[in-house]
């Protein structure tokens, strides 16, 4: 499958076929331990279930190819994947991270990472100048960005961020969960590590918690990351790894549909009298539109937010009125979700009180628009 496009690679899981049985679907290996050879070797490459498991191989191989990387490791969650990158740094290392990013990781960076001795500066990562002035050559070891970024979908110019990182002797890691490997290729733009919460679009069915890292090259940092996964036991369950590959087979169809519907929802509500603003990088008025149009291909993602004209009270009331949209957190599943973001993030949230985050699924676009229309009117 060397030259095949990503739609073919995902649909066929890289063309995997079992040599012995000719089965088209890779097996699930629940084994936690493996037989040692009589001469004391482990020639099959597997010894115990915490370092790795054969069920991880097909999804990790597919993600490596989709991101055009050198290697992939799956993790127990997106947070396990992300925090492993930071734990592979050393106390005292300086990190530049975005002000607008997934709140769970931002909170971890402000608490656990700081206690462990990492020094983190949060900057406006949608401005290349802010990234450039935040790095400390020789001291900054990592620039972490997320694009599009939760929950206002700001865009970071990944190629520019990569150049800044290189100039400072730092690495660039990109949380590409929302873009998926289909809409943005961070490694081709110069990133060193790509992170996914595979809980979202990669699995796509709201039934697996998983994470993944893809490396541009197999180097000493990557070795440390792999050792931390084993040491901390941050591994995926074999059933989850099996389900993840099954979910990824339809990634193209789901992402294409989510992008198309998100774009039409954004365009429908952008001038709506009950909506103060629609935040979506596919709209020309979004501050990240020009960069997104350059670095994303095939669509601007399935995530958008609306700011409800009547403020926080009206936003919560709107979410209370939906019937087709499901009032739940998370994103990237086949079913559309609506969420008053400030409520889940809690005290200290940077999300505006009037903001509803929308994760667009694969339902009928007219049903989703109609349901939001009636909910806005009822809350009005
Ligand atoms: C952009 C982004 N990154 C990381 C995470 C963390 O992933 P997980 O919940 O799989 O640990 C999330 C989860 O919501 C996310 O939305």
């Amino acid at each position: 499958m060397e030259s095949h496009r990503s739609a073919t690679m995902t649909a066929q899981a890289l063309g995997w076929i079992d040599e012995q049985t000719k089965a088209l679907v890779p097996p699930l290996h629940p084994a936690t331990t493996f037989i040692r050879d009589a001469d004391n070797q482990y020639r099959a490459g597997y010894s115990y279930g915490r370092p790795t498991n054969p069920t991880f191989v097909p999804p990790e191989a597919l993600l490596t190819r989709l991101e055009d990387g050198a290697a992939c490791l799956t993790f127990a969650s997106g947070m396990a994947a992300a925090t492993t990158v930071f734990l592979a740094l050393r106390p005292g290392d300086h990190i530049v991270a975005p002000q607008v990013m997934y709140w769970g990781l931002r909170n971890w960076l402000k608490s656990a990472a700081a206690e462990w001795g990492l020094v983190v500066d949060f900057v406006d990562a949608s401005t290349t100048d802010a990234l450039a002035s935040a790095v400390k050559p020789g001291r900054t070891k990592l620039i972490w960005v997320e694009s599009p970024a939760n929950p206002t979908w700001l865009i970071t110019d990944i190629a520019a961020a990569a150049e800044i990182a290189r100039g400072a002797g730092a690495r660039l890691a990109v949380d590409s969960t929302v873009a998926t490997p289909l809409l943005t290729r961070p490694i081709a733009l110069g990133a060193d590590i790509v992170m996914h919460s595979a809980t979202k679009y990669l699995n796509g069915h709201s039934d697996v918690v998983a994470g993944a890292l893809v490396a541009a090259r197999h180097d000493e940092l990557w070795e440390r990351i792999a050792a931390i996964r084993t040491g901390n036991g941050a591994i995926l369950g074999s059933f989850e790894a099996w389900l993840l590959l099954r979910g990824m087979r339809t990634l193209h169809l789901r992402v294409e549909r989510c992008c198309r519907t998100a774009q039409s929802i954004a365009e429908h509500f952008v001038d709506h009298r009950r909506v103060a603003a629609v935040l979506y990088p596919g709209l020309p008025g979004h501050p990240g539109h020009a960069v997104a149009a350059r670095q994303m291909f095939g669509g601007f993602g399935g995530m958008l937010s609306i700011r409800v004209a009547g403020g926080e009270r009206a936003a919560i009331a709107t979410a209370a009125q939906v019937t087709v949209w499901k009032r739940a957190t998370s994103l990237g599943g086949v079913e559309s979700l609506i969420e008053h973001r400030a409520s889940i993030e809690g005290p200290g949230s940077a999300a505006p009180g009037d903001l509803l985050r929308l994760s667009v699924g694969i339902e009928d676009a007219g049903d989703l628009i109609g349901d939001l229309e009636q909910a806005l009117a009822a809350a009005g």
Side-chain angles (χ1 to χ4, degrees):
M1 290 224 122
E2 268 321 295
S3 63
H4 287 161
R5 290 171 215 268
S6 50
T8 308
M9 292 193 286
T10 49
Q12 299 190 359
L14 293 181
W16 189 95
I17 292 168
D18 182 64
E19 285 302 322
Q20 220 176 350
T21 64
K22 302 295 174 196
L24 267 174
V25 175
L28 192 164
H29 291 274
T32 56
T33 193
F34 301 82
I35 297 286
R36 200 186 258 281
D37 300 328
D39 61 358
N40 222 27
Q41 305 297 306
Y42 273 120
R43 275 191 201 75
Y46 301 99
S47 56
Y48 180 59
R50 180 152 45 75
T52 190
N53 174 306
T55 321
F56 302 168
V57 174
E60 289 178 351
L62 178 55
L63 277 169
T64 303
R65 287 294 305 279
L66 290 177
E67 290 289 5
D68 240 335
C72 170
L73 289 169
T74 50
F75 286 83
S77 65
M79 280 297 287
T83 56
T84 298
V85 177
F86 295 102
L87 293 174
L89 303 177
R90 311 277 188 211
D93 284 352
H94 178 247
I95 294 159
V96 176
Q99 284 160 349
V100 174
M101 67 184 294
Y102 170 58
W103 70 291
L105 185 56
R106 189 184 60 221
N107 288 349
W108 186 87
L109 288 171
K110 285 185 173 169
S111 53
E115 281 163 27
W116 191 59
L118 296 177
V119 182
V120 189
D121 276 328
F122 295 90
V123 303
D124 176 3
S126 67
T127 314
T128 302
D129 287 349
L131 285 175
S133 46
V135 293
K136 304 177 199 292
R139 261 202 73 200
T140 305
K141 293 294 186 285
L142 184 75
I143 299 179
W144 180 275
V145 300
E146 177 180 325
S147 188
N150 265 287
T152 50
W153 319 113
L154 288 178
I155 301 291
T156 295
D157 183 334
I158 295 171
E163 213 176 300
I164 293 165
R166 252 195 319 278
R171 321 273 180 137
L172 175 68
V174 179
D175 181 341
S176 203
T177 297
V178 171
T180 81
L182 305 182
L183 306 177
T184 305
R185 290 280 164 75
I187 289 175
L189 296 168
D192 300 288
I193 292 178
V194 183
M195 176 254 154
H196 288 283
S197 166
T199 312
K200 317 300 183 191
Y201 292 98
L202 294 180
N203 179 65
H205 293 76
S206 308
D207 53 11
V208 166
V209 174
L213 295 176
V214 182
R217 70 201 84 76
H218 205 125
D219 57 9
E220 192 242 332
L221 176 66
W222 189 247
E223 293 294 330
R224 278 212 303 278
I225 285 171
I228 292 169
R229 184 182 78 161
T230 300
N232 286 4
I235 55 152
L236 197 53
S238 52
F239 181 52
E240 283 73 14
W242 186 87
L243 272 178
L244 176 59
L245 186 74
R246 176 187 158 127
M248 278 200 290
R249 285 175 182 258
T250 56
L251 183 65
H252 267 78
L253 293 176
R254 291 185 284 103
V255 169
E256 265 174 40
R257 175 66 170 249
C258 294
C259 287
R260 210 168 45 242
T261 306
Q263 183 77 38
S264 55
I265 292 172
E267 287 170 6
H268 180 91
F269 287 102
V270 69
D271 291 322
H272 196 284
R273 70 183 184 86
R274 295 186 195 276
V275 175
V278 175
L279 310 178
Y280 185 61
L283 292 176
H286 188 274
H289 180 69
V291 176
R294 205 166 62 232
Q295 81 184 12
M296 300 181 82
F297 33 85
F300 295 91
M303 295 303 300
L304 71 153
S305 296
I306 59 169
R307 298 188 64 174
V308 178
E312 178 155 11
R313 190 205 53 77
I316 293 171
T318 301
Q321 295 293 336
V322 293
T323 58
V324 179
W325 295 83
K326 299 303 168 213
R327 222 169 14 262
T329 194
S330 200
L331 60 101
V334 290
E335 61 290 287
S336 294
L337 305 180
I338 189 167
E339 175 178 56
H340 181 247
R341 193 64 194 159
S343 294
I344 189 104
E345 295 193 3
S349 167
D354 59 3
L355 182 143
L356 292 175
R357 191 180 83 167
L358 307 178
S359 171
V360 177
I362 63 169
E363 305 94 331
D364 181 82
D367 285 348
L368 293 171
I369 290 172
D371 191 37
L372 202 48
E373 277 281 7
Q374 70 74 25
L376 284 162

